[in-house]
Amino acid sequence: MNRVPLKRSRILRMALTGASDASGEEESGSGGKPFLLRALQIALVVSLYWVTSISMVFLNKYLLDSPSLKLDTPIFVTFYQCLVTTLLCKGLSTLSTCCPGTVDFPSLRLDLRVARSVLPLSVVFIGMITFNNLCLKYVGVAFYNVGRSLTTVFNVLLSYLLLKQTTSFYALLTCGIIIGGFWLGVDQEGAEGTLSLTGTIFGVLASLCVSLNAIYTKKVLPAVDGSIWRLTFYNNVNACALFLPLLLLLGEVQVLRNFAQLGSAHFWGMMTLGGLFGFAIGYVTGLQIKFTSPLTHNVSGTAKACAQTVLAVLYYEETKSFLWWTSNMMVLGGSSAYTWVRGWEMKKVQEDPSPKEDEKSAVGV
């Protein structure tokens, strides 16, 4: 009877600290590290996350919608990035097996039964990465964050519809701020004549798929022994297989045949670099959570999105109105507020168990 509350508190502590019990002991053991060294480590990890994430967005924009490249094959670009990730996972797994201690990476062996178990998640994963790239192709980097800003709203909606989890009034209020910022941003893009309805729809679909991906990942993880890297490997293997018929159906193979720079080393170098960034973002995200916490990671992601927007406006020499900037601040502020509210609520539940649960345990229910 006493194991259930203990398990809940442990899970909550893991969610708040971003570490397991074992890692938590390591953290307490590393408390002897000088503060300056600890601060430098965190600053380095956060900087690495920012550089990797922002570079990946700008590089993908170049590959998807560059006037100099003139390549209209978004599915092929996404397929190639999945292929690079698959090869990197397999390569690191082989290195870990052949040279133990060189890298810490799980052994990977393609099991068709596991691949079938992961397939439903892989379909959602394909939708997520494809709609992300299609959104980036049709909208500017500056608007990209606003275009994909409804992920938090879909998280709340799907948690209620699929998991029957309710959300507090304050969390719903932050979602209202995000929705308001999204609509204001769409309105201002339209007023400036730069709105892409197609890109905006792809952004909304990408947000939906990101939320579904988070939910189904939890269900599928047991099939890969709880290993995120194994899940990454199977997701990308399935994605490569499913993308091949799409390349034929959408005519992108013919477009590639007529592509003038198909034999260019620069083109393939940029494509491979995009795949490397796609693989690296998963690693640095986990690294940032490990050295900080899930809450700090979300705050860092919000700040990174703000910096990315400013950099895009400066790089592409765009001029934006006050209301356009207001929409961005509403989205970023609403996302930060939601993260803070949820973190506060989880901490409160951890420290103060609900009276109803105490009453139930007292009467033996």
Side-chain angles (χ1 to χ4, degrees), residues 61 65 135-144 146-147 184-201 313 316-321 324 327-328:
K61 181 63 177 177
D65 191 40
C135 174
L136 186 57
K137 175 179 173 61
Y138 289 102
V139 306
V141 176
F143 184 68
Y144 182 57
V146 174
L184 181 60
V186 170
D187 176 74
Q188 289 304 299
E189 283 284 306
E192 295 179 5
T194 54
L195 175 66
S196 168
L197 184 59
T198 302
T200 304
I201 292 173
V313 170
Y316 294 106
E317 299 179 347
E318 299 173 344
T319 303
K320 301 297 183 181
S321 67
W324 187 92
S327 72
N328 276 265

Short mmCIF file of all heavy atoms in Angstrom, two decimals, residues 61 65 135-144 146-147 184-201 313 316-321 324 327-328:
data_model
loop_
_atom_site.label_atom_id
_atom_site.label_comp_id
_atom_site.label_asym_id
_atom_site.label_seq_id
_atom_site.Cartn_x
_atom_site.Cartn_y
_atom_site.Cartn_z
N LYS A 61 16.56 26.06 -43.43
CA LYS A 61 15.93 27.09 -44.26
C LYS A 61 16.67 27.24 -45.58
O LYS A 61 16.06 27.38 -46.65
CB LYS A 61 15.89 28.42 -43.50
CG LYS A 61 15.22 29.56 -44.27
CD LYS A 61 13.75 29.27 -44.54
CE LYS A 61 13.05 30.42 -45.23
NZ LYS A 61 11.64 30.11 -45.56
N ASP A 65 14.62 26.35 -48.94
CA ASP A 65 14.05 27.51 -49.65
C ASP A 65 15.11 28.54 -50.03
O ASP A 65 14.89 29.74 -49.91
CB ASP A 65 12.98 28.16 -48.76
CG ASP A 65 12.15 29.21 -49.50
OD1 ASP A 65 11.82 28.97 -50.68
OD2 ASP A 65 11.85 30.25 -48.90
N CYS A 135 6.79 23.75 -42.85
CA CYS A 135 6.49 25.06 -42.27
C CYS A 135 7.66 26.02 -42.48
O CYS A 135 7.48 27.16 -42.90
CB CYS A 135 6.20 24.91 -40.77
SG CYS A 135 5.98 26.47 -39.88
N LEU A 136 8.88 25.53 -42.23
CA LEU A 136 10.07 26.36 -42.40
C LEU A 136 10.29 26.74 -43.86
O LEU A 136 10.81 27.82 -44.16
CB LEU A 136 11.29 25.61 -41.85
CG LEU A 136 12.61 26.37 -41.80
CD1 LEU A 136 12.48 27.65 -40.96
CD2 LEU A 136 13.71 25.48 -41.22
N LYS A 137 9.88 25.87 -44.77
CA LYS A 137 10.04 26.16 -46.20
C LYS A 137 9.17 27.35 -46.63
O LYS A 137 9.60 28.19 -47.43
CB LYS A 137 9.66 24.92 -47.02
CG LYS A 137 9.67 25.13 -48.53
CD LYS A 137 9.31 23.86 -49.27
CE LYS A 137 9.14 24.10 -50.76
NZ LYS A 137 10.36 24.60 -51.40
N TYR A 138 7.95 27.43 -46.09
CA TYR A 138 7.00 28.43 -46.56
C TYR A 138 6.93 29.71 -45.71
O TYR A 138 6.38 30.71 -46.17
CB TYR A 138 5.60 27.81 -46.65
CG TYR A 138 5.46 26.81 -47.78
CD1 TYR A 138 5.49 25.44 -47.53
CD2 TYR A 138 5.33 27.24 -49.09
CE1 TYR A 138 5.37 24.52 -48.56
CE2 TYR A 138 5.21 26.32 -50.13
CZ TYR A 138 5.24 24.97 -49.86
OH TYR A 138 5.13 24.07 -50.90
N VAL A 139 7.44 29.67 -44.48
CA VAL A 139 7.43 30.88 -43.65
C VAL A 139 8.87 31.30 -43.38
O VAL A 139 9.81 30.51 -43.52
CB VAL A 139 6.69 30.66 -42.31
CG1 VAL A 139 5.29 30.13 -42.54
CG2 VAL A 139 7.47 29.73 -41.38
N GLY A 140 9.04 32.54 -42.97
CA GLY A 140 10.37 33.03 -42.63
C GLY A 140 10.82 32.50 -41.28
O GLY A 140 10.01 32.09 -40.46
N VAL A 141 12.15 32.51 -41.07
CA VAL A 141 12.69 32.04 -39.80
C VAL A 141 12.16 32.88 -38.64
O VAL A 141 11.92 32.38 -37.54
CB VAL A 141 14.24 32.07 -39.83
CG1 VAL A 141 14.82 31.67 -38.48
CG2 VAL A 141 14.77 31.15 -40.92
N ALA A 142 11.94 34.18 -38.90
CA ALA A 142 11.46 35.07 -37.85
C ALA A 142 10.06 34.67 -37.36
O ALA A 142 9.75 34.79 -36.17
CB ALA A 142 11.45 36.52 -38.35
N PHE A 143 9.21 34.18 -38.27
CA PHE A 143 7.84 33.81 -37.92
C PHE A 143 7.74 32.33 -37.53
O PHE A 143 6.71 31.89 -37.02
CB PHE A 143 6.90 34.08 -39.10
CG PHE A 143 5.45 33.81 -38.82
CD1 PHE A 143 4.73 34.59 -37.93
CD2 PHE A 143 4.79 32.76 -39.45
CE1 PHE A 143 3.39 34.33 -37.65
CE2 PHE A 143 3.45 32.49 -39.20
CZ PHE A 143 2.74 33.29 -38.29
N TYR A 144 8.80 31.58 -37.74
CA TYR A 144 8.80 30.13 -37.53
C TYR A 144 8.38 29.76 -36.11
O TYR A 144 7.61 28.82 -35.90
CB TYR A 144 10.19 29.59 -37.84
CG TYR A 144 10.36 28.10 -37.73
CD1 TYR A 144 9.57 27.22 -38.45
CD2 TYR A 144 11.36 27.57 -36.90
CE1 TYR A 144 9.75 25.85 -38.36
CE2 TYR A 144 11.55 26.20 -36.80
CZ TYR A 144 10.74 25.35 -37.53
OH TYR A 144 10.92 24.00 -37.44
N VAL A 146 6.49 31.50 -33.96
CA VAL A 146 5.07 31.77 -33.76
C VAL A 146 4.22 30.75 -34.51
O VAL A 146 3.20 30.26 -34.00
CB VAL A 146 4.71 33.20 -34.20
CG1 VAL A 146 3.20 33.44 -34.13
CG2 VAL A 146 5.44 34.23 -33.34
N GLY A 147 4.64 30.40 -35.72
CA GLY A 147 3.89 29.44 -36.53
C GLY A 147 3.76 28.07 -35.89
O GLY A 147 2.78 27.36 -36.14
N LEU A 184 -2.43 37.07 -33.23
CA LEU A 184 -1.89 38.41 -33.51
C LEU A 184 -0.73 38.33 -34.49
O LEU A 184 -0.60 39.16 -35.40
CB LEU A 184 -1.44 39.07 -32.21
CG LEU A 184 -0.88 40.50 -32.33
CD1 LEU A 184 -1.92 41.44 -32.93
CD2 LEU A 184 -0.41 41.00 -30.96
N GLY A 185 0.10 37.30 -34.34
CA GLY A 185 1.23 37.12 -35.26
C GLY A 185 0.76 36.84 -36.67
O GLY A 185 1.30 37.39 -37.64
N VAL A 186 -0.25 35.97 -36.81
CA VAL A 186 -0.81 35.68 -38.14
C VAL A 186 -1.40 36.95 -38.74
O VAL A 186 -1.21 37.24 -39.94
CB VAL A 186 -1.89 34.58 -38.02
CG1 VAL A 186 -2.65 34.44 -39.34
CG2 VAL A 186 -1.25 33.25 -37.64
N ASP A 187 -2.11 37.74 -37.92
CA ASP A 187 -2.71 38.98 -38.39
C ASP A 187 -1.65 39.96 -38.89
O ASP A 187 -1.81 40.60 -39.94
CB ASP A 187 -3.54 39.61 -37.26
CG ASP A 187 -4.11 40.96 -37.66
OD1 ASP A 187 -5.06 40.99 -38.46
OD2 ASP A 187 -3.59 42.00 -37.18
N GLN A 188 -0.57 40.08 -38.14
CA GLN A 188 0.49 41.03 -38.50
C GLN A 188 1.28 40.57 -39.73
O GLN A 188 1.70 41.39 -40.54
CB GLN A 188 1.44 41.23 -37.31
CG GLN A 188 0.81 42.01 -36.17
CD GLN A 188 0.29 43.36 -36.62
OE1 GLN A 188 1.04 44.21 -37.10
NE2 GLN A 188 -1.03 43.56 -36.51
N GLU A 189 1.48 39.26 -39.85
CA GLU A 189 2.11 38.75 -41.07
C GLU A 189 1.25 39.06 -42.29
O GLU A 189 1.76 39.44 -43.35
CB GLU A 189 2.32 37.23 -40.96
CG GLU A 189 3.47 36.81 -40.09
CD GLU A 189 4.82 37.00 -40.75
OE1 GLU A 189 5.04 36.50 -41.86
OE2 GLU A 189 5.68 37.68 -40.14
N GLY A 190 -0.07 38.92 -42.13
CA GLY A 190 -0.99 39.26 -43.22
C GLY A 190 -0.97 40.74 -43.53
O GLY A 190 -1.00 41.13 -44.71
N ALA A 191 -0.89 41.58 -42.50
CA ALA A 191 -0.86 43.03 -42.70
C ALA A 191 0.41 43.46 -43.43
O ALA A 191 0.39 44.43 -44.21
CB ALA A 191 -0.96 43.75 -41.36
N GLU A 192 1.51 42.74 -43.20
CA GLU A 192 2.77 43.08 -43.85
C GLU A 192 2.92 42.41 -45.21
O GLU A 192 3.91 42.64 -45.92
CB GLU A 192 3.94 42.69 -42.95
CG GLU A 192 3.99 43.49 -41.64
CD GLU A 192 5.14 43.06 -40.75
OE1 GLU A 192 5.95 42.21 -41.19
OE2 GLU A 192 5.23 43.57 -39.62
N GLY A 193 1.94 41.56 -45.57
CA GLY A 193 1.98 40.90 -46.87
C GLY A 193 2.94 39.74 -46.96
O GLY A 193 3.32 39.31 -48.06
N THR A 194 3.36 39.21 -45.80
CA THR A 194 4.33 38.11 -45.80
C THR A 194 3.72 36.81 -45.27
O THR A 194 4.43 35.83 -45.05
CB THR A 194 5.55 38.46 -44.93
OG1 THR A 194 5.09 38.84 -43.62
CG2 THR A 194 6.34 39.62 -45.54
N LEU A 195 2.41 36.80 -45.07
CA LEU A 195 1.76 35.61 -44.52
C LEU A 195 1.68 34.49 -45.55
O LEU A 195 1.24 34.70 -46.68
CB LEU A 195 0.36 35.95 -44.02
CG LEU A 195 -0.48 34.76 -43.50
CD1 LEU A 195 0.15 34.18 -42.24
CD2 LEU A 195 -1.92 35.19 -43.25
N SER A 196 2.08 33.30 -45.14
CA SER A 196 1.89 32.10 -45.96
C SER A 196 0.87 31.23 -45.23
O SER A 196 1.19 30.64 -44.18
CB SER A 196 3.21 31.34 -46.13
OG SER A 196 2.98 30.07 -46.68
N LEU A 197 -0.33 31.15 -45.78
CA LEU A 197 -1.36 30.33 -45.16
C LEU A 197 -0.96 28.86 -45.14
O LEU A 197 -1.18 28.15 -44.15
CB LEU A 197 -2.69 30.51 -45.90
CG LEU A 197 -3.90 29.79 -45.30
CD1 LEU A 197 -4.17 30.24 -43.88
CD2 LEU A 197 -5.14 30.00 -46.18
N THR A 198 -0.32 28.43 -46.23
CA THR A 198 0.15 27.04 -46.32
C THR A 198 1.17 26.74 -45.22
O THR A 198 1.08 25.73 -44.51
CB THR A 198 0.78 26.77 -47.70
OG1 THR A 198 -0.17 27.04 -48.71
CG2 THR A 198 1.25 25.33 -47.80
N GLY A 199 2.13 27.65 -45.07
CA GLY A 199 3.15 27.47 -44.04
C GLY A 199 2.57 27.49 -42.64
O GLY A 199 3.00 26.73 -41.77
N THR A 200 1.57 28.35 -42.41
CA THR A 200 0.92 28.43 -41.10
C THR A 200 0.17 27.13 -40.77
O THR A 200 0.24 26.63 -39.64
CB THR A 200 -0.05 29.62 -41.05
OG1 THR A 200 0.65 30.83 -41.38
CG2 THR A 200 -0.68 29.76 -39.68
N ILE A 201 -0.52 26.59 -41.77
CA ILE A 201 -1.24 25.31 -41.57
C ILE A 201 -0.25 24.20 -41.26
O ILE A 201 -0.47 23.38 -40.35
CB ILE A 201 -2.08 24.97 -42.82
CG1 ILE A 201 -3.23 25.96 -42.96
CG2 ILE A 201 -2.62 23.54 -42.71
CD1 ILE A 201 -4.01 25.81 -44.25
N VAL A 313 15.53 38.38 -38.01
CA VAL A 313 15.14 39.72 -38.46
C VAL A 313 16.36 40.51 -38.91
O VAL A 313 16.35 41.20 -39.94
CB VAL A 313 14.37 40.47 -37.35
CG1 VAL A 313 14.18 41.94 -37.72
CG2 VAL A 313 13.02 39.81 -37.08
N TYR A 316 18.09 38.66 -42.25
CA TYR A 316 17.33 38.84 -43.49
C TYR A 316 16.92 40.31 -43.71
O TYR A 316 16.18 40.60 -44.65
CB TYR A 316 16.09 37.95 -43.48
CG TYR A 316 16.42 36.47 -43.53
CD1 TYR A 316 16.27 35.67 -42.39
CD2 TYR A 316 16.90 35.87 -44.69
CE1 TYR A 316 16.58 34.31 -42.42
CE2 TYR A 316 17.21 34.52 -44.72
CZ TYR A 316 17.04 33.75 -43.58
OH TYR A 316 17.36 32.40 -43.62
N GLU A 317 17.39 41.20 -42.83
CA GLU A 317 17.16 42.65 -42.95
C GLU A 317 15.67 42.97 -43.08
O GLU A 317 15.25 43.70 -43.98
CB GLU A 317 17.96 43.21 -44.13
CG GLU A 317 19.47 43.03 -43.98
CD GLU A 317 20.23 43.58 -45.16
OE1 GLU A 317 19.60 43.88 -46.19
OE2 GLU A 317 21.46 43.71 -45.06
N GLU A 318 14.88 42.41 -42.16
CA GLU A 318 13.44 42.64 -42.17
C GLU A 318 13.06 43.77 -41.21
O GLU A 318 13.77 44.04 -40.25
CB GLU A 318 12.71 41.35 -41.78
CG GLU A 318 12.97 40.19 -42.73
CD GLU A 318 12.39 38.88 -42.22
OE1 GLU A 318 12.05 38.79 -41.03
OE2 GLU A 318 12.28 37.94 -43.02
N THR A 319 11.94 44.38 -41.50
CA THR A 319 11.40 45.42 -40.61
C THR A 319 10.04 44.96 -40.11
O THR A 319 9.15 44.67 -40.90
CB THR A 319 11.26 46.76 -41.35
OG1 THR A 319 12.54 47.15 -41.88
CG2 THR A 319 10.75 47.84 -40.40
N LYS A 320 9.89 44.88 -38.79
CA LYS A 320 8.66 44.38 -38.19
C LYS A 320 7.99 45.46 -37.34
O LYS A 320 8.66 46.31 -36.75
CB LYS A 320 8.95 43.15 -37.32
CG LYS A 320 9.59 42.00 -38.06
CD LYS A 320 8.67 41.45 -39.16
CE LYS A 320 9.28 40.24 -39.85
NZ LYS A 320 8.41 39.72 -40.94
N SER A 321 6.66 45.40 -37.28
CA SER A 321 5.88 46.38 -36.54
C SER A 321 5.91 46.08 -35.04
O SER A 321 6.30 45.00 -34.61
CB SER A 321 4.43 46.38 -37.04
OG SER A 321 3.80 45.15 -36.72
N TRP A 324 3.75 43.12 -34.23
CA TRP A 324 4.38 41.86 -34.62
C TRP A 324 5.29 41.38 -33.49
O TRP A 324 5.26 40.21 -33.11
CB TRP A 324 5.18 42.03 -35.91
CG TRP A 324 5.74 40.75 -36.47
CD1 TRP A 324 5.16 39.93 -37.38
CD2 TRP A 324 7.00 40.14 -36.14
NE1 TRP A 324 5.97 38.85 -37.64
CE2 TRP A 324 7.10 38.95 -36.90
CE3 TRP A 324 8.05 40.49 -35.28
CZ2 TRP A 324 8.21 38.12 -36.83
CZ3 TRP A 324 9.15 39.65 -35.19
CH2 TRP A 324 9.23 38.48 -35.97
N SER A 327 3.27 40.10 -30.58
CA SER A 327 2.79 38.71 -30.74
C SER A 327 3.87 37.71 -30.33
O SER A 327 3.57 36.69 -29.69
CB SER A 327 2.37 38.47 -32.20
OG SER A 327 3.49 38.40 -33.07
N ASN A 328 5.11 37.99 -30.68
CA ASN A 328 6.21 37.11 -30.29
C ASN A 328 6.40 37.08 -28.78
O ASN A 328 6.60 36.02 -28.18
CB ASN A 328 7.52 37.56 -30.96
CG ASN A 328 7.68 37.02 -32.37
OD1 ASN A 328 8.30 36.00 -32.58
ND2 ASN A 328 7.10 37.72 -33.33
#
